[in-house]
Amino acid sequence: MHEQNCSEISVAIIGAGISGLSCANRLKALGYQVSIYEKSRGVSGRMSTRSTADWNADHGAQYFTARDPLFINELKQWIKDDVAAIWEPRLQVFKAGQWQDSASKENRYVGNPAMNSPGQYLAKKLVVQLNQTIHHVAHDQGKWLLHSQEHGAIQKQFDWLVLALPAPQALAITQSIDRPIEDVVKRANMQACWTVMATLTEKTNMPFDAAFINNEVISWLSRNNSKPNRAGMETWTIHANPLWSQAWVERDKDEAAKEILDCAKRLGLNCDAAKISIHRWRYASGHADLIPGFRLCEDLKLGYCGDWLNGGRVEGAWLSGHHLASQIQKTQHQTNLSSSL
């Protein structure tokens, strides 16, 4: 029986966030044919930046940390290639009605010059099909068939399928094929996040660059211009807390923004004269604590990766994709050994 070389094996990855890009780069380095499909106009997922001629703001993930040796090595390369940098904000905490300086000494990192820079860096040597919403897949005679909402059936067939999507979106695509995935998704309990970006005509005199807020409508305030190499008018990113966001996920965006901005004003950030942009992240936080941090159905050649499977952070997303790719390689190697006997 013919033993497949990696170069003959095709993998489709749905989702071009950090986990999907990490998985794709690892598989490409191992010799696989990799195609990525992404519904948005660009890569990076929730490591996102909103940009205009006058201002920009990281409106998804605000920063990331590095603890695992594998990710630390990856981060060192990002820093060397100038797509990430350390961020040292004046950091405060609002708790029980009182402000205090944060005691945290952990290094925080951001994309440079924008949070989506590492994702764009990871995508440079990959085949990424943007504006492609894969809403239906089928597994037939050992091959994966994909259907795009925008362009219909994808002509190419694939040996492996990887879903690098938020848990509910992954469930919607593969529920009828991989029934146990429903229980995994339930454990992730992903919640929404309403985000407001406020651009000010004059600089504020806030005593912090970023703040964690407890027991209020909002949970985070950040002056985007305090991050390395950010240009443009002073812009603040304001995240509502997950419980409030989930409770009001279907609320009118202007009503949601008003309540968020009223809370910010009570805390000292007056945005009455600011230009306001609003974004709703439907699936922003939540994760299932699974080891090894990804999911692989070997018989179907179907994998899942993402921060929701590995601790809910940027580092967890990157590691999830990387480790899934390594496990696909092990599984494929075992298949090749069996077929050659």
Side-chain angles (χ1 to χ4, degrees):
M1 188 176 291
H2 173 62
E3 179 179 336
Q4 281 184 298
N5 295 317
C6 289
S7 61
E8 300 173 330
I9 300 169
S10 57
V11 184
I13 299 178
I14 304 175
I18 292 301
S19 65
L21 295 170
S22 171
C23 186
N25 272 282
R26 175 73 173 146
L27 288 171
K28 188 173 186 292
L30 291 167
Y32 291 80
Q33 299 176 31
V34 184
S35 300
I36 306 178
Y37 297 89
E38 167 59 46
K39 71 175 184 177
S40 301
R41 294 174 297 170
V43 301
S44 293
R46 281 168 285 153
M47 283 184 72
S48 294
T49 303
R50 180 78 59 85
S51 298
T52 74
D54 300 319
W55 60 271
N56 64 78
D58 301 325
H59 62 298
Q62 294 296 288
Y63 64 86
F64 56 93
T65 55
R67 301 165 188 170
D68 185 278
L70 266 178
F71 185 65
I72 289 172
N73 284 338
E74 177 73 8
L75 174 58
K76 286 178 179 177
Q77 190 62 50
W78 293 358
I79 292 172
K80 180 182 177 182
D81 290 340
D82 215 22
V83 296
I86 195 167
W87 178 41
E88 300 177 294
R90 298 171 299 156
L91 189 62
Q92 291 195 352
V93 177
F94 185 78
K95 188 175 183 180
Q98 300 291 324
W99 286 104
Q100 60 190 54
D101 290 336
S102 171
S104 172
K105 301 300 181 185
E106 189 167 37
N107 286 335
R108 292 173 171 82
Y109 301 90
V110 295
N112 181 35
M115 191 57 84
N116 58 12
S117 298
Q120 293 174 349
Y121 170 82
L122 291 175
K124 278 195 305 185
K125 296 180 180 179
L126 299 172
V127 177
V128 183
Q129 304 287 339
L130 299 174
N131 300 306
Q132 288 263 35
T133 306
I134 305 301
H135 65 128
H136 177 74
V137 302
H139 193 239
D140 184 36
Q141 297 182 352
K143 295 288 186 178
W144 284 101
L145 313 176
L146 279 55
H147 197 276
S148 162
Q149 190 170 292
E150 293 85 359
H151 304 288
I154 304 298
Q155 187 174 4
K156 185 176 176 62
Q157 299 181 2
F158 299 91
D159 299 301
W160 287 85
L161 175 64
V162 169
L163 274 70
L165 298 171
Q169 293 176 347
L171 174 66
I173 292 177
T174 61
Q175 185 174 21
S176 62
I177 299 169
D178 174 23
R179 296 196 180 278
I181 191 62
E182 186 171 1
D183 290 333
V184 181
V185 168
K186 283 180 180 176
R187 292 205 302 274
N189 188 32
M190 295 199 80
Q191 295 179 310
C193 179
W194 278 105
T195 299
V196 171
M197 292 151 276
T199 301
L200 304 166
T201 54
E202 296 181 1
K203 289 187 177 181
T204 59
N205 194 29
M206 299 294 284
F208 56 79
D209 297 313
F212 295 104
I213 313 297
N214 291 277
N215 302 316
E216 294 284 347
V217 169
I218 62 179
S219 61
W220 171 261
L221 290 168
S222 173
R223 186 170 65 88
N224 201 73
N225 305 65
S226 67
K227 297 176 180 179
N229 292 318
R230 267 54 172 185
M233 299 170 68
E234 178 163 325
T235 303
W236 286 76
T237 298
I238 310 169
H239 281 331
N241 82 56
L243 290 175
W244 184 90
S245 293
Q246 189 60 39
W248 297 103
V249 66
E250 301 298 346
R251 196 171 190 177
D252 174 80
K253 68 176 185 177
D254 292 322
E255 291 179 3
K258 183 181 184 306
E259 195 159 343
I260 290 166
L261 290 168
D262 285 347
C263 180
K265 189 173 183 178
R266 292 195 300 273
L267 294 168
L269 180 63
N270 188 335
C271 300
D272 287 350
K275 179 180 179 180
I276 301 301
S277 295
I278 308 156
H279 187 86
R280 177 186 61 186
W281 296 100
R282 188 173 285 276
Y283 308 116
S285 62
H287 59 89
D289 291 315
L290 297 180
I291 301 298
F294 57 84
R295 176 176 171 81
L296 182 62
C297 306
E298 295 183 1
D299 55 333
L300 291 169
K301 294 189 175 180
L302 170 64
Y304 303 81
C305 59
D307 67 316
W308 66 276
L309 285 163
N310 197 31
R313 299 180 298 119
V314 169
E315 177 181 34
W318 185 90
L319 288 167
S320 179
H322 184 89
H323 289 318
L324 173 60
S326 296
Q327 190 60 43
I328 287 173
Q329 168 70 345
K330 289 179 183 178
T331 301
Q332 188 63 52
H333 180 64
Q334 291 167 357
T335 300
N336 287 345
L337 286 177
S338 298
S339 65
S340 65
L341 293 178

